[in-house]
Amino acid sequence: MEQNVQEPKQRVLSLIQPTSVPTLGNYLGALKNWKKMARDYDCIFGVADLHALTIRVEPSMLRKQTQEMLALLLALDLDAEKNIVFVQSHVHTHSELSWLLNCYTQFGEASRMTQFKDKSRKHADNVTVGLFDYPVLMAADILIYQSNYVPVGVDQKQHLELARNIAERFNGIYGQTFTVPEPFIGTKGAKVMSLQDPTAKMSKSDPNPKASVSVLDSPDVIVKKFKSAVTDSEACVRYAEGKDGINNLMTIYSCCTGLDYAQIESDFAGKGYGDFKMAVAEAVIEELRPLQENYNHVIADKACISDCAKKGAEKALYVTQKTLRKVQKKVGLWQG
Ligand code: TYM
């Protein structure tokens, strides 16, 4: 997606939860696109620590993982000077807009969110109002910046639809207030699957450590995980229906090398799955190497991470206050 230099810069926003180290799915589905867009767009990228509270989390872990996630975003080279890189809870306007948007969201539409249904099954002993309300906070994150594009993986598409519906509804009642955002979902890598069950999404919360690759895994660990990836008995590298494991590996390989499926099939014609798995592992190791090297530098400087968080929050507050005031005024809150 090239941007015409004559036009005012369009705004891109996305956040990631600090629930653990991001997976290769998070990276290929979202972070890699953030990196590409950081140069040409006016970007806002954040750590969604408030969203992480929707399931039970150890406070000291949340603090640690929030700092680590921010360090990882800084290591991605998102140009934090030009763009905004921030922690969600440091910018109170998000939560304030979220409350207002709650009053413009139908209970029925929020109940239809499939991620809420999945997560409430998984955490049946702790189905909170926060878990239910999660997509409305996400809508506030997006709408408060007047974002044009939101780069995410496929699993967030329904939440994006809800944000669009809320924006359109509000604009319909009060006149143009919010930019209606477009999802930006890559053609490949938008849904990276588990290495152990290729019919399920690769997820940070998967209890099986072999199912997902973390972006900070060492080369040895990456090789081991790909070696044990579930495939099929055909022993032929081709992209086809019913070959979920190989399709997933081909997608990962394609995202990391830029090769299309036809080229991959021809390069691996007559070769076994063992060779292919090694090639995928090596491509992933090379893809992640610069990020891992940068991360080791960034994480060593805690003062710099705190400083970046502070600067990010100041910039974010400045931008978001404008939208919040506009909304408060439109709905009739007396501003004194
Ligand atoms: P989160 O933290 O679950 O995931 C971060 C990003 O990674 C994408 N993703 C994947 N992409 C491809 N394959 C996978 N297996 C995979 N798993 C995850 C997600 O789609 C996401 O883009 N609610 C969001 C965080 C959020 C947000 C926002 C996003 C809060 N506010 C505003 C966009 C805009 C979440 O939990 O993402």
Side-chain angles (χ1 to χ4, degrees):
M1 201 169 33
E2 289 302 316
Q3 187 166 247
N4 185 339
V5 281
Q6 314 293 306
E7 292 166 7
K9 278 199 171 176
Q10 303 236 285
R11 222 170 242 182
V12 166
L13 168 132
S14 204
L15 274 70
I16 183 166
Q17 289 196 55
T19 27
S20 64
V21 179
T23 66
L24 188 62
N26 297 127
Y27 178 80
L28 297 178
L31 300 178
K32 195 173 160 130
N33 289 329
W34 295 14
K35 205 170 133 178
K36 279 192 204 141
M37 295 169 116
R39 196 174 40 106
D40 299 328
Y41 291 83
D42 189 1
C43 291
I44 300 121
F45 296 124
V47 181
D49 56 345
L50 293 175
H51 276 98
L53 288 173
T54 54
I55 54 168
R56 211 44 93 228
V57 47
E58 171 62 38
S60 59
M61 280 301 278
L62 179 59
R63 267 190 291 275
K64 181 171 173 286
Q65 288 175 341
T66 301
Q67 285 178 62
E68 288 171 354
M69 186 62 86
L70 184 66
L72 208 113
L73 299 192
L74 297 171
L76 263 180
D77 235 345
L78 298 175
D79 200 345
E81 284 298 317
K82 171 180 84 73
N83 296 310
I84 300 178
V85 180
F86 75 109
V87 174
Q88 187 185 33
S89 68
H90 296 183
V91 188
H92 62 85
T93 41
H94 287 237
S95 309
E96 288 177 58
L97 182 64
S98 176
W99 172 255
L100 298 175
L101 296 186
N102 275 327
C103 304
Y104 297 85
T105 307
Q106 296 302 306
F107 189 85
E109 62 186 344
S111 312
R112 283 195 289 277
M113 298 295 113
T114 52
Q115 209 172 83
F116 170 68
K117 291 182 198 164
D118 290 348
K119 286 197 178 177
S120 26
R121 265 193 298 270
K122 264 192 211 151
H123 305 277
D125 56 335
N126 185 37
V127 183
T128 65
V129 176
L131 186 65
F132 182 72
D133 201 28
Y134 163 124
V136 183
L137 176 58
M138 183 164 158
D141 295 336
I142 298 168
L143 302 181
I144 203 160
Y145 292 93
Q146 309 289 351
S147 314
N148 302 95
Y149 298 109
V150 185
V152 282
V154 163
D155 62 332
Q156 297 297 328
K157 197 165 175 246
Q158 198 187 25
H159 294 159
L160 251 299
E161 273 308 314
L162 180 72
R164 287 170 58 86
N165 290 344
I166 297 172
E168 279 165 358
R169 181 173 305 131
F170 196 97
N171 290 347
I173 303 171
Y174 298 105
Q176 181 56 37
T177 310
F178 295 119
T179 301
V180 180
E182 296 285 341
F184 177 81
I185 298 177
T187 42
K188 272 185 203 148
K191 191 167 187 189
V192 176
M193 310 309 277
S194 153
L195 298 184
Q196 292 300 311
D197 172 9
T199 61
K201 175 184 94 158
M202 183 182 282
S203 165
K204 284 182 270 196
S205 58
D206 198 314
N208 181 351
K210 286 187 189 165
S212 67
V213 171
S214 126
V215 297
L216 297 180
D217 276 346
S218 69
D220 286 357
V221 170
I222 294 176
V223 167
K224 265 193 208 135
K225 286 182 178 175
F226 278 105
K227 272 191 179 166
S228 72
V230 167
T231 48
D232 54 63
S233 54
E234 193 195 30
C236 175
V237 178
R238 65 187 185 96
Y239 197 96
E241 218 183 298
K243 287 173 69 73
D244 297 327
I246 285 296
N247 293 350
N248 190 36
L249 295 183
M250 285 180 75
T251 301
I252 293 171
Y253 191 64
S254 172
C255 287
C256 295
T257 59
L259 299 173
D260 62 24
Y261 295 144
Q263 186 64 52
I264 299 171
E265 286 175 5
S266 109
D267 288 353
F268 287 89
K271 294 189 183 154
Y273 287 164
D275 289 342
F276 183 52
K277 285 177 172 181
M278 269 312 287
V280 180
E282 276 160 18
V284 169
I285 291 167
E286 283 320 307
E287 174 74 33
L288 297 178
R289 192 188 300 281
L291 172 62
Q292 296 191 350
E293 285 173 1
N294 281 348
Y295 179 79
N296 291 335
H297 289 296
V298 178
I299 199 69
D301 192 347
K302 293 280 180 337
C304 177
I305 301 170
S306 294
D307 193 46
C308 290
K310 209 165 143 228
K311 283 192 189 134
E314 275 165 14
K315 288 200 267 181
L317 197 60
Y318 179 78
V319 178
T320 55
Q321 264 165 347
K322 223 165 129 188
T323 304
L324 183 65
R325 288 222 185 88
K326 188 152 107 181
V327 174
Q328 288 169 330
K329 200 164 161 198
K330 290 205 175 192
V331 301
L333 295 180
W334 183 52
Q335 298 185 307

